[in-house]
Amino acid sequence: MDRRIIQAARSLGARPATIFWRVWLPLSLPGIALATLFVFVFSLGFLVTPALLGAGKTLMIAEYISVQISSTSRWDLATSLSTMLLLVVGIIVFAAMRSPALRAAFVARPQQ
């Protein structure tokens, strides 16, 4: 983010809260949205963390798929759940990448 924009807002008399809400936050929204998308996608595939923190009381989708494969040998259910999980994540990422602001987050910009 170009610091000259924040300096320009200060020189025009904007207060710090106004600078944050009207300048800094709107310029940061693509990064915040992208970070949220990454956390969401990575959280769908976690297996160990929910098992350790939940002590097996609450099954997340990755752990449920693992149980279907290892304990009950229901390969058909595990395969269909894995495929649906992959499709859902793919659709979410595809929909997010249609946003011009998120696409711009992946474009390399020259350093100033």
Side-chain angles (χ1 to χ4, degrees):
M1 184 181 316
D2 193 1
R3 294 196 180 271
R4 293 178 292 178
I5 297 172
I6 295 173
Q7 289 173 351
R10 278 191 197 130
S11 70
L12 291 172
R15 294 184 176 156
T18 305
I19 293 172
F20 176 78
W21 288 107
R22 301 195 87 187
V23 176
W24 190 85
L25 187 64
L27 290 173
S28 300
L29 280 179
I32 293 169
L34 193 65
T36 303
L37 178 67
F38 282 161
V39 168
F40 175 71
V41 169
F42 288 138
S43 69
L44 288 175
F46 277 128
L47 177 65
V48 176
T49 308
L52 291 177
L53 293 177
K57 294 178 184 171
T58 303
L59 284 178
M60 302 279 290
I61 187 73
E63 190 175 357
Y64 187 69
I65 292 170
S66 175
V67 166
Q68 294 304 315
I69 291 172
S70 62
S71 298
T72 62
S73 297
R74 294 182 65 189
W75 289 85
D76 53 345
L77 180 60
T79 303
S80 61
L81 287 173
S82 301
T83 304
M84 289 304 297
L85 181 63
L86 181 66
L87 287 173
V88 166
V89 169
I91 289 169
I92 290 171
V93 170
F94 177 75
M97 288 300 115
R98 296 202 32 101
S99 165
L102 286 179
R103 257 187 283 137
F106 285 105
V107 176
R109 294 188 183 116
Q111 294 292 326
Q112 294 181 0

